[in-house]
Amino acid sequence: MSGFGDLHDGFKPVLSFSKHSSAVKGYLAVDIQGENALIRDRKDSFLSWDMLGVNLWTREHSTPNKEPAVIHQIRFPKGLPGFITCISYIPRLRLFVAAALDMSFKIYKRNLELIESIAHEERALLGMEYDDIRDILVVSGARGVSLWRLSRAVNAGLEYIMERTYVYEDLVDVWISSIRLE
């Protein structure tokens, strides 16, 4: 665990991940497994992204000093740094929803395989949080704050649909770069 130096405040680092190519833009805890004496090979999964790509990585509890392992990666196209601006995980569907610079939502499987690209008419989406109680995505960006729902069509294609369900009128055309639900 190099790079931490001397921590005078009494905290001890638990893990670090050093496989990013540039400054980290975002981070998600995807799956945190609680203490359980019956499970030996517990792993925690995390997703983090920088200007050049997205990393899905795991930390094994049995070897806490071992460097976390990258299990899946997405590299952005050359000439498009920061292609993905924000990502949320929807546990119910086991999918990642990302906002991209090409004015689309990217839907990824748990292994970061792209399964759908859904166009939207927002100028820039910069922040996204999933509210699992209401089953909605709260999205912020160049046009303010809006609520979106991801669902699956029941027709033969079974494609995914992103539906904007609500727009906060007092925040329309107000640039909001990030959002945090509590």
Side-chain angles (χ1 to χ4, degrees), residues 26-78:
Y27 164 86
L28 285 173
V30 177
D31 186 24
I32 305 293
Q33 296 180 349
E35 296 290 332
N36 187 337
L38 301 176
I39 301 174
R40 281 193 182 154
D41 55 349
R42 291 185 309 124
K43 291 182 188 178
D44 296 334
S45 301
F46 303 93
L47 184 92
S48 54
W49 59 97
D50 59 22
M51 293 298 284
L52 301 176
V54 178
N55 295 296
L56 181 62
W57 47 280
T58 61
R59 172 190 172 249
E60 294 183 26
H61 285 257
S62 60
T63 54
N65 294 331
K66 185 179 171 186
E67 176 79 16
V70 175
I71 53 175
H72 299 290
Q73 237 177 6
I74 299 172
R75 287 285 159 225
F76 301 150
K78 290 185 189 224

Side-chain angles (χ1 to χ4, degrees), residues 84-162:
I84 300 289
T85 58
C86 52
I87 304 174
S88 282
Y89 181 63
I90 301 178
R92 172 181 67 83
L93 299 172
R94 296 183 51 86
L95 295 173
F96 293 104
V97 177
L101 291 178
D102 64 354
M103 294 177 61
S104 70
F105 289 106
K106 306 292 185 191
I107 312 297
Y108 294 97
K109 288 183 183 177
R110 177 75 190 252
N111 65 0
L112 294 183
E113 176 187 340
L114 179 66
I115 56 174
E116 193 95 34
S117 185
I118 303 170
H120 60 75
E121 295 179 7
E122 303 291 323
R123 288 186 308 206
L125 299 178
L126 304 173
M128 183 184 324
E129 290 281 332
Y130 177 67
D131 182 347
D132 57 344
I133 295 170
R134 293 173 186 89
D135 191 28
I136 57 168
L137 288 160
V138 181
V139 178
S140 66
R143 288 189 173 168
V145 177
S146 56
L147 304 178
W148 295 74
R149 185 174 314 275
L150 176 67
S151 58
R152 193 129 192 213
V154 292
N155 62 6
L158 291 175
E159 65 265 358
Y160 289 95
I161 299 168
M162 286 293 294

